[in-house]
Structures are given as structure tokens and as C-alpha cells.
Amino acid sequence: DTAVSQTPKYLVTQMGNDKSIKCEQNLGHDTMYWYKQDSKKFLKIMFSYNNKELIINETVPNRFSPKSPDKAHLNLHINSLELGDSAVYFCASSQFVDQPQHFGDGTRLSIL
Amino acid sequence: QQQVKQSPQSLIVQKGGISIINCAYENTAFDYFPWYQQFPGKGPALLIAIRPDVSEKKEGRFTISFNKSAKQFSLHIMDSQPGDSATYFCAAENQGGKLIFGQGTELSVKP
């Protein structure tokens, strides 16, 4: 009964490949987020969706494209992976915007 | 203006002692200040949060002190335990729902 679940937990791939990370929340929340945590553990927001609509889009390369098929899911697709994309990516959700955010356990992406 | 500065970067405390982590922000539009706890291999978990209309909030051994005029807030962990060893993040959020995190503090509580 995990609240925010991400798959896969680990992703190892080569430079130039395209990959996707999936996120699902069973909390009934309206808002979902993607964060990137770098090797120094710094957490930075990438995107936010509220009821399937994009509301936050930080300065992220357009190789990153979020997709929200419904309120409970927010997937992240990354094209043409680069070495600098290696990080842990976290999905989160909140009841509404400006409410406490609940995080998944992350997807560790390693680019060879 | 979007920065949240956190210190110290790392902290070692004896069991039973008080752990204190400090944060400062610049943007006066922030109106929600949570603290998150992160264990290795896990996502950040909300620990305690405060809004700027109060100066202190206590939940069990965890207390947030908030100084609006100085634009500073801090986390105090009383009677620190080895199980509290984790990375702690302060954060600040504006009404748009954008959470800005501090750089994190690695806390180690020695038995």
C-alpha cells in the first residue's frame, strides 16, 4: 500500500538512449511533482502538474518531458540521455498546490 | 531571491544531546516552511512544518523556531537518538507550490 511508488528503482543505461520513469500515487492527491537530487544531495524541482495540467516547469532541458495520463500518474520521459542526467529522480504528490508533499523512494539513474 | 541557505552541512551529536540546524531565506513571498528527513535509499519524509504566523511549533522531540523579521528558521531535535541519524532538509514554499530546498545537513548521533 505504498503511497507514492516509482518504477524502476534503478536505471542503468548508455548515453544517447531514451528512457522513462513511471510514478503512481494512491493518495487521491490532485498535484504531482518531479524532483532531481544530484550527487551532493541537492533537491531541485523540475515539474509540477495539478489535475493533469502543467503548473511548474523549471529551467529543464526539453529532452525531459513529463506526461500525466490521469491525476494518479505522472511519468517522466528523457530523450538522448547525457552523463549529467545521472541523479536520483523523485516523484511527489500533494492534496492540492501549497499542501504537504509526499515523496516516493526515488529512481537512481546512472548513465554509462 | 529563491535561495534557502542551510547550515551546518554536517553535524555530530552525542545520544541525548540537542541537534540544531539553521536555515535562512530571502524571498518574503514564502509562506510555508517544512523540514524533511531523508534516510539512505529513501525519499524525503515530511517531519514538521510551520507557517509564518507562528514563532514556534513543537511535535514530540522536534521543534521549529521561526524568526520572520530575520528571515530565519531552525530545527531543534531534543534528546537526539541514533535512529535520528539521517539527512535533514529545510525548505520554503510560495503560494505557487514551488518548494525550494536547503542544501541538507547530515546528522550523525553517536551512541
Side-chain angles (χ1 to χ4, degrees):
Chain A
D1 59 343
T2 304
V4 181
S5 59
Q6 298 178 225
T7 53
K9 190 170 176 64
Y10 300 97
L11 189 50
V12 181
T13 189
Q14 292 191 327
M15 219 165 40
N17 284 350
D18 303 339
K19 289 293 177 186
S20 292
I21 306 171
K22 295 185 176 181
C23 179
E24 176 181 6
Q25 55 94 3
N26 62 5
L27 297 167
H29 288 169
D30 277 6
T31 310
M32 295 185 73
Y33 311 81
W34 277 109
Y35 287 85
K36 179 180 181 180
Q37 186 171 47
D38 64 22
S39 58
K40 294 184 179 179
K41 294 193 178 179
F42 184 64
L43 270 162
K44 190 172 177 2
I45 191 166
M46 300 172 69
F47 302 102
S48 170
Y49 271 73
N50 185 59
N51 201 7
K52 300 196 299 175
E53 288 193 21
L54 182 66
I55 56 171
I56 294 175
N57 185 351
E58 285 297 282
T59 310
V60 176
N62 57 16
R63 298 182 294 105
F64 290 78
S65 54
K67 284 188 172 50
S68 182
D70 55 58
K71 280 196 326 182
H73 296 84
L74 180 62
N75 304 322
L76 183 65
H77 189 76
I78 315 170
N79 288 327
S80 304
L81 281 158
E82 300 177 358
L83 287 175
D85 297 333
S86 294
V88 182
Y89 292 84
F90 287 100
C91 178
S93 73
S94 62
Q95 181 68 62
F96 306 111
V97 169
D98 197 25
Q99 292 294 306
Q101 296 183 23
H102 301 261
F103 284 75
D105 282 339
T107 295
R108 182 174 292 276
L109 174 62
S110 299
I111 310 301
L112 303 178
Chain B
Q1 268 217 333
Q2 293 291 314
Q3 278 191 321
V4 176
K5 294 181 180 179
Q6 183 173 347
S7 63
Q9 191 173 357
S10 63
L11 182 60
I12 299 174
V13 172
Q14 289 297 123
K15 179 182 174 182
I18 303 174
S19 304
I20 302 174
I21 305 171
N22 300 299
C23 284
Y25 64 97
E26 298 171 359
N27 189 345
T28 55
F30 290 139
D31 63 357
Y32 176 67
F33 301 88
W35 284 89
Y36 281 84
Q37 180 188 55
Q38 186 180 25
F39 292 105
K42 296 293 186 181
L46 180 64
L47 194 59
I48 186 172
I50 198 168
R51 295 200 183 265
D53 52 347
V54 297
S55 59
E56 186 175 282
K57 183 173 181 180
K58 184 176 180 179
E59 289 183 1
R61 297 185 293 111
F62 301 91
T63 300
I64 300 178
S65 297
F66 187 84
N67 186 330
K68 189 174 180 178
S69 60
K71 292 188 283 186
Q72 295 175 347
F73 58 111
S74 60
L75 176 70
H76 290 62
I77 306 174
M78 311 300 288
D79 187 27
S80 298
Q81 299 296 312
D84 296 331
S85 297
T87 302
Y88 292 80
F89 294 93
C90 65
E93 186 176 292
N94 59 20
Q95 289 186 349
K98 183 176 170 182
L99 258 184
I100 306 297
F101 281 88
Q103 297 90 333
T105 297
E106 287 197 21
L107 172 65
S108 177
V109 181
K110 299 299 185 186

